[in-house]
Amino acid sequence: MSNIEEIHKQTLLEGRSALLRTNASLEQTQKSALEAEEIGTSVIQELDSQRETLLRARDRLVNTDYELSRSRQLLRMAQNTVLANKILLILIIIMEVFILCSIIYLKYLRK
């Protein structure tokens, strides 16, 4: 009987050893899972921060595009105004030259 008890005892020791190894393996797996969860959480937080940064950048870009369109429109209006002023100035100069020529003709050449 002692042989059976010894085998039984040996089997129990092996089972206990297997349980301890399994327990250690489960603890290591749980530790790895917690580390992976922490890494995942920090990655999600970083991605959320980057998302907010990208959204702000997109909003600034849309705003800048609107402002550029408005600036182009204002520049076009200013360019048209400058062109109209140049044409008006040329017409005034032509009229002055015509008046001057008329005065010279009437005063000196008509006599």
Side-chain angles (χ1 to χ4, degrees), residues 29-81:
T29 302
Q30 188 176 17
K31 196 183 284 186
S32 295
L34 287 174
E35 287 175 7
E37 184 179 3
E38 288 174 7
I39 291 170
T41 301
S42 69
V43 166
I44 287 174
Q45 288 172 347
E46 180 66 26
L47 287 173
D48 188 48
S49 171
Q50 290 176 357
R51 178 181 179 269
E52 290 298 320
T53 302
L54 287 172
L55 287 174
R56 283 192 306 271
R58 186 194 67 185
D59 290 344
R60 283 194 307 265
L61 198 60
V62 167
N63 205 14
T64 302
D65 186 46
Y66 171 76
E67 293 299 325
L68 280 173
S69 296
R70 186 161 159 73
S71 296
R72 278 190 208 104
Q73 185 181 20
L74 290 172
L75 284 173
R76 222 175 287 120
M77 287 172 51
Q79 186 179 20
N80 290 340
T81 303

Side-chain angles (χ1 to χ4, degrees), residues 91-107:
L91 288 174
I92 289 172
I93 290 171
I94 290 172
M95 284 178 58
E96 286 179 351
V97 167
F98 178 74
I99 291 171
L100 227 110
C101 286
S102 297
I103 290 173
I104 291 173
Y105 175 76
L106 289 174
K107 191 163 193 179

Side-chain angles (χ1 to χ4, degrees), residues 78-92:
Q79 186 179 20
N80 290 340
T81 303
V82 166
L83 182 63
N85 286 343
K86 280 183 181 180
I87 291 172
L88 185 62
L89 188 60
I90 289 170
L91 288 174
I92 289 172

